[in-house]
Amino acid sequence: MTVDAIMAAAQRVQAAGPSSPRLARDPVTGPAIRTWADAMGDANPIYTDPEFAARSVHGGLVAPPAMVQVWTMPGLAAPVGGRPVEAVGGAPPQAGGGAGDDPLGVMTAALDEAGFTSVVATNCDQAYARYLRPGEQLAVRAVLLDVRGPKRTALGEGWFVTTRSTWYSGAEAVATMDFRVLKFRPPDASGAGPAAVAAPVSGAGPAALVGAASLAGPAARPGTTAEPVLRPPASPDTEFFWAGTRIGELRIQRCGGCGALRHPPGPACPSCGGAGLPGSGGVGEAEYQVAAGTGTVYSYVVHRHPPVPGKQLPIVIALVELTEGVRMLGELTGIDPADVTIGMPVRVRFRRVDDDLVLPEWRPDRPDLLPEFVVRVTPTVVVATALATRDFYPVHHDRDFAQRGGAKDIFLNILTTTGLVQRYVTDWAGPDAVVRAISVRLGVPCYAGDTLTFAGTAAETADGERLVAVTGACSLGDHVTGTVRLAPPQREHRGGQEGSSARGTGAAGRPAEQRSTP
Amino acid sequence: MTSPVAAIAGIGATEFSKDSGRSELRLAVEACRAALDDAGLAPADVDGMVTFSMDANAEIAVARELGAGELTFFGLVGYGGGAACATVQHAAMAVATGAASVVLCYRALNERSGRRFGQVAAGALAGATSSAIDSGWHYPMGLATPAATVAMVARRYMHVFGATSADFGAVAVADRRHAATNPAAWFYQRPITLAEHQESRWICEPLRLLDCCQETDGAVAVLVTSLDRARSLKRVPVVISAAAQGSGANQYTMTSYYLDDLTGLPELGVVARRLWPQAGLRPGDIRTAVLYDHFTPYVLMQLEELGFCGRGEARHFIADGAIELGGALPLNPHGGQLGEGYLHGMNGIAEAVRQVRGTAVNQVPGDGPVLVTAGTGVPTSALILGADS
């Protein structure tokens, strides 16, 4: 099939207009919401606590906005396309409504035929007209927005296909989603390699079925040199520190005898002569204290030459005086080198290098910067979130299947990534924050066993909305970059832009794998 | 003041280049032979050898190649360039105790064509040594070169005292001016202006390229013997009036960042407190000083630690050409390690010897003593050398 033929197919689909409405299998329901919130570790009480919800800006229980797509997922046994419906959103009933006229399904078939058989999701932009409430019955229709190609990409030659889905509650449009996939020709024509990771896209739940396969390739974090970062040598005297960073704790050695804090740590206390590290059982043994993770820049450099393994220059390296009084060295990120000043407040962040090494880094500590949030992406997290988002594609729960397709392991699905982005922002903004839109752009896959670290920056728009730019980085690089748009505050906020006082809102009941940084 | 018992009787060096084309061992032997020739001694007279723990050439290998015969004293001094003056101190102690009578101190390195110290050395993290574990607190974070470690202190120094990059540049200008009239210097006939310093590229802010010493291939040797014996040799003795090593409290190698103060070089303060009483001298007595100039900011801080000026006042002390030839205290008349060559401080000792002898190409007039320091930021050392009275 030629370029012309693909474009002709696109024109036919666009000319046909919106797909026929497809009804959700079940209405918006509390149990599904609770399962989703549990899997995401999202303890926002507006989803599950009727009394709290009644007092909230919503006046009652609501569904997480990022769940909108979940309601129309096909489920494990459902026929693709779901049930035909009589009339949705004012559209006339369409004969044979379902997969047959799904724009992405049709374009997928056309591109498959042309040899562009692999697919990855690249963008998902959701906008919510309002929050949904238990009992609402949704239906979805889709149109083809755009087909562009052929483009050369890191994965191979391919076409970007963008569709817009609109969800209706009765005749009311309640949410939209612009969804872009890359359909590409697998580099290895035999079908092995990453091609097989990518799922076949049916008309049913495209977002669910395509994995977040890598656009950046398996290389190191974007912008780093090819060489791996230099690693601290292993020592029983310092292991407690590195064990701490692995779980998002910044640990300062504290003498069990005299209480003196000390960094860098050592096997003895120079202040009182006490010896021993945590667990050694010695008299007067040293312990550690978890630092608040805040401090000020005592001095800093901007390193430009020569190259440093694992770093893209220039980098700022700061000597930070911690709130607890000790000094600690680390890279200072998230700031233009020209803007760094001695004395500026900084907050720790954790840069995961791999399973064994997590480096403490620093970033400016400003009210518009969200505290970092680390999710340990265990197999349980991958599987539980996939099922809670009704995404049964095996790459998200069957490691053998995923590895046959060239993936390292099972990996997070895009609905979960969107859900985690939402949780990160609403944990910070508080339960009265109203999410109006979430846009995510996918980067590298986040495999089971990895750590996903979210960082964000908030800004206020002219009309009072808050835009939060979010990145979620894993060991391979940026898994997701995106923005969350929040409605202007409707009443006094518990937290919000004044600070991070509300960031612990969702703490209760979090799965053990997930924790906020100190 | 203690009466001096040891003297420097000979100095030797190879040419200073960017690619010696020879092994480091050969360079060491050439420099040692030159020092012996300078003193008028034979290899068989040597019974002691001292070098840096960083030197690649074992004392026994150098002795063997020289044909030195039996050794009764040999040793290594640690901490990079901080070892320079300490090699002479250790040799003097050996001579004073009778452990040896003629001791060669040497340093040979293909530092430009071979292992370049300015590049990131992943090997610093190898092994379960205390040094590797220390390095683990800054290499992985990206602070992994000598320039970067100095830049961190320099930034704080600037912040506290108001020093500027141009103040650091004054050191480079002086070094390069002096090198320009030293035929042995790599930068012979190539002076720089302060504007050129200010236009040179950033290496690790606040350090520019021209704040950093050269990378050099070459070797230097210094021969130490008793003052009595030196008096019978070819050259006039250069008396070791004072020699001291120093390590500060809570000392690290280049990263003593965990002290209350980050605006000084405490290890050199330790040295200074021993040096002046030993020699019975004050800073005002010094005719010229060879201050270890791996990076320009540490020259300013050395002036303060040694007592030439008050804390934070070095930028005023060095202003208006005071550290250039003809100034109040000419520094590094050979051009230093920015101008002549980077021989890990050993070429500075050789220059101090020449200044005392009165044979330097950029001779500073007078007969006062000469001060020479070793690398700072690490456990360090210094000497005061003077004429035989």
Side-chain angles (χ1 to χ4, degrees):
Chain A
M1 188 180 275
T2 64
V3 170
D4 288 344
I6 292 170
M7 293 309 295
Q11 280 164 7
R12 281 196 303 277
V13 174
Q14 281 179 316
S19 63
S20 52
R22 188 165 49 74
L23 200 62
R25 296 178 77 197
D26 302 299
V28 174
T29 53
I33 292 170
R34 185 182 296 283
T35 300
W36 184 96
D38 286 351
M40 297 290 165
D42 191 335
N44 191 334
I46 60 171
Y47 306 143
T48 54
D49 181 338
E51 290 179 15
F52 186 98
R55 297 192 308 270
S56 75
V57 293
H58 302 287
L61 288 173
V62 289
M67 271 191 88
V68 64
Q69 190 183 357
V70 174
W71 305 116
T72 51
M73 292 292 279
L76 188 57
V80 166
R83 291 185 280 137
V85 291
E86 291 304 309
V88 167
Q94 292 190 15
D101 68 343
D102 176 78
L104 186 54
V106 174
M107 285 314 301
T108 292
L111 288 160
D112 281 345
E113 192 180 326
F116 301 96
T117 52
S118 295
V119 63
V120 291
T122 64
N123 297 75
C124 174
D125 301 341
Q126 296 183 344
Y128 317 106
R130 63 170 174 81
Y131 277 46
L132 302 174
R133 295 175 188 278
E136 292 195 77
Q137 175 72 44
L138 298 190
V140 63
R141 309 183 69 181
V143 294
L144 180 65
L145 284 188
D146 194 37
V147 175
R148 286 171 193 256
K151 304 271 190 189
R152 267 202 284 276
T153 75
L155 292 175
E157 187 183 48
W159 292 70
F160 288 96
V161 179
T162 310
T163 57
R164 172 170 295 169
S165 298
T166 304
W167 281 271
Y168 296 91
S169 179
E172 180 192 6
V174 290
T176 61
M177 173 176 75
D178 289 358
F179 187 74
R180 179 172 300 143
V181 300
L182 171 65
K183 284 286 290 175
F184 62 99
R185 193 191 304 279
D188 182 351
S190 72
V197 174
V201 173
S202 74
L209 294 183
V210 291
S214 169
L215 278 176
R221 192 175 173 72
T224 60
T225 62
E227 291 177 273
V229 75
L230 296 171
R231 309 179 73 89
S235 164
D237 300 337
T238 60
E239 172 52 28
F240 78 95
F241 180 87
W242 299 108
T245 60
R246 281 195 291 271
I247 60 166
E249 286 184 3
L250 194 66
R251 296 176 176 175
I252 308 171
Q253 188 173 19
R254 181 179 58 203
C255 176
C258 70
L261 294 176
R262 181 190 184 206
H263 186 85
C269 177
S271 299
C272 74
L277 279 171
S280 71
V283 174
E285 74 182 62
E287 302 165 343
Y288 65 80
Q289 134 176 1
V290 178
T294 54
T296 56
V297 172
Y298 189 78
S299 189
Y300 68 98
V301 303
V302 184
H303 186 84
R304 298 184 181 275
H305 189 78
V308 179
K311 311 281 183 188
Q312 186 190 19
L313 304 183
I315 53 172
V316 178
I317 305 149
L319 181 63
V320 174
E321 193 144 86
L322 271 60
T323 306
E324 291 81 4
V326 301
R327 292 188 198 140
M328 198 176 286
L329 197 76
E331 194 175 335
L332 176 59
T333 56
I335 184 169
D336 188 313
D339 295 335
V340 182
T341 56
I342 286 178
M344 70 180 290
V346 292
R347 180 177 285 275
V348 75
R349 62 187 305 187
F350 294 95
R351 170 59 49 83
R352 185 181 187 280
V353 176
D354 54 34
D355 288 347
D356 294 325
L357 180 60
V358 176
L359 292 175
E361 289 185 357
W362 300 91
R363 66 193 186 96
D365 191 13
R366 304 195 313 251
D368 61 331
L369 290 180
L370 280 63
E372 267 194 8
F373 168 57
V374 180
V375 180
R376 287 182 59 208
V377 183
T378 61
T380 300
V381 168
V382 175
V383 174
T385 53
L387 302 190
T389 54
R390 295 184 177 172
D391 180 350
F392 300 99
Y393 191 58
V395 292
H396 307 307
H397 63 255
D398 182 340
R399 182 162 66 181
D400 291 344
F401 183 94
Q403 290 181 338
R404 275 201 301 275
K408 176 183 156 195
D409 207 324
I410 57 173
F411 50 90
L412 286 182
N413 70 340
I414 190 170
L415 281 80
T416 297
T417 301
T418 307
L420 290 173
V421 166
Q422 176 189 271
R423 175 197 160 182
Y424 174 56
V425 171
T426 54
D427 273 2
W428 166 79
D432 285 335
V434 174
V435 176
R436 283 185 167 167
I438 301 173
S439 297
V440 299
R441 176 181 166 80
L442 291 179
V444 298
C446 185
Y447 291 114
D450 208 335
T451 301
L452 189 55
T453 302
F454 287 99
T457 310
E460 194 160 333
T461 65
D463 53 3
E465 285 188 330
R466 284 176 294 168
L467 277 177
V468 184
V470 175
T471 60
C474 59
S475 61
L476 297 176
D478 282 342
H479 166 64
V480 58
T481 55
T483 57
V484 176
R485 186 156 53 89
L486 301 176
Q490 294 182 16
R491 62 162 79 158
E492 277 301 303
H493 264 260
R494 292 166 277 252
Q497 267 199 313
E498 297 310 308
S500 55
S501 57
R503 70 191 168 102
T505 302
R510 273 180 199 159
E513 299 86 352
Q514 308 179 9
R515 57 183 304 136
S516 287
T517 56
Chain B
M1 166 176 186
T2 48
S3 53
V5 293
I8 294 173
I11 54 173
T14 64
E15 83 287 1
F16 304 143
S17 74
K18 300 300 179 193
D19 185 0
S20 73
R22 321 202 276 294
S23 72
E24 293 186 342
L25 179 57
R26 179 167 165 180
L27 295 174
V29 172
E30 288 181 19
C32 285
R33 281 194 180 282
L36 284 166
D37 290 346
D38 188 48
L41 288 170
D45 295 317
V46 176
D47 56 4
M49 307 205 79
V50 190
T51 187
F52 295 47
S53 63
M54 271 183 82
D55 200 277
N57 313 290
E59 310 96 297
I60 56 169
V62 176
R64 196 171 62 220
E65 298 305 316
L66 276 175
E70 297 174 347
L71 298 180
T72 59
F73 170 74
F74 32 89
L76 304 175
V77 186
Y79 310 111
C85 294
T87 63
V88 173
Q89 183 202 24
H90 287 211
M93 291 192 294
V95 166
T97 60
S101 60
V102 174
V103 183
L104 276 170
C105 308
Y106 65 91
R107 180 76 175 106
L109 62 175
N110 282 324
E111 202 272 327
R112 180 59 180 80
S113 66
R115 186 192 145 198
R116 302 172 65 180
F117 299 171
Q119 304 296 308
V120 176
L125 295 163
T129 66
S130 62
S131 295
I133 291 160
D134 287 351
S135 296
W137 299 115
H138 58 102
Y139 273 66
M141 293 74 178
L143 194 90
T145 62
T149 61
V150 170
M152 188 67 77
V153 179
R155 172 82 68 184
R156 184 74 195 176
Y157 179 86
M158 296 165 85
H159 174 77
V160 172
F161 294 127
T164 65
S165 172
D167 295 326
F168 302 153
V171 175
V173 168
D175 270 347
R176 291 291 292 269
R177 177 188 157 189
H178 301 165
T181 52
N182 172 10
W186 176 257
F187 285 119
Y188 179 50
Q189 296 181 329
R190 284 185 281 173
I192 57 165
T193 64
L194 186 59
E196 285 170 317
H197 171 274
Q198 290 293 290
E199 287 159 10
S200 67
R201 66 188 166 109
W202 294 118
I203 296 298
C204 184
E205 294 178 42
L207 295 191
R208 300 175 181 278
L209 176 66
L210 292 178
D211 289 308
C212 305
C213 65
Q214 297 181 56
E215 299 172 297
T216 303
D217 286 9
V220 173
V222 175
L223 188 146
V224 176
T225 188
S226 69
L227 178 55
D228 283 345
R229 181 152 185 193
R231 285 174 175 144
S232 68
L233 297 178
K234 202 163 102 185
R235 295 286 199 169
V236 296
V238 172
V239 174
I240 301 168
S241 305
Q245 274 188 293
S247 168
N250 209 9
Q251 177 84 48
Y252 286 80
T253 299
M254 301 301 280
T255 54
S256 300
Y257 296 158
Y258 310 101
L259 304 160
D260 290 341
D261 188 8
L262 202 63
T263 56
L265 301 166
E267 60 277 358
L268 189 63
V270 175
V271 169
R273 288 195 295 277
R274 299 184 64 81
L275 209 60
W276 299 119
Q278 241 185 78
L281 296 170
R282 296 176 298 109
D285 300 324
I286 296 296
R287 172 162 47 113
T288 177
V290 180
L291 300 188
Y292 194 98
D293 52 344
H294 45 356
F295 301 100
T296 56
Y298 279 8
V299 172
L300 271 65
M301 292 162 71
Q302 286 178 73
L303 287 167
E304 297 168 11
E305 288 288 352
L306 289 163
F308 286 99
C309 59
R311 186 78 62 182
E313 294 173 2
R315 64 194 176 103
H316 305 302
F317 182 87
I318 66 168
D320 304 322
I323 57 171
E324 297 182 26
L325 290 170
L329 180 72
L331 296 185
N332 305 344
H334 60 318
Q337 300 190 101
L338 278 76
E340 187 183 63
Y342 177 77
L343 279 301
H344 235 168
M346 292 300 280
N347 52 325
I349 301 173
E351 170 65 8
V353 168
R354 287 188 295 265
Q355 289 289 339
V356 173
R357 288 175 176 173
T359 60
V361 292
N362 295 320
Q363 185 63 44
V364 177
D367 56 4
V370 177
L371 173 73
V372 54
T373 61
T376 49
V378 292
T380 190
S381 54
L383 302 169
I384 294 176
L385 304 180
D388 191 11
S389 50

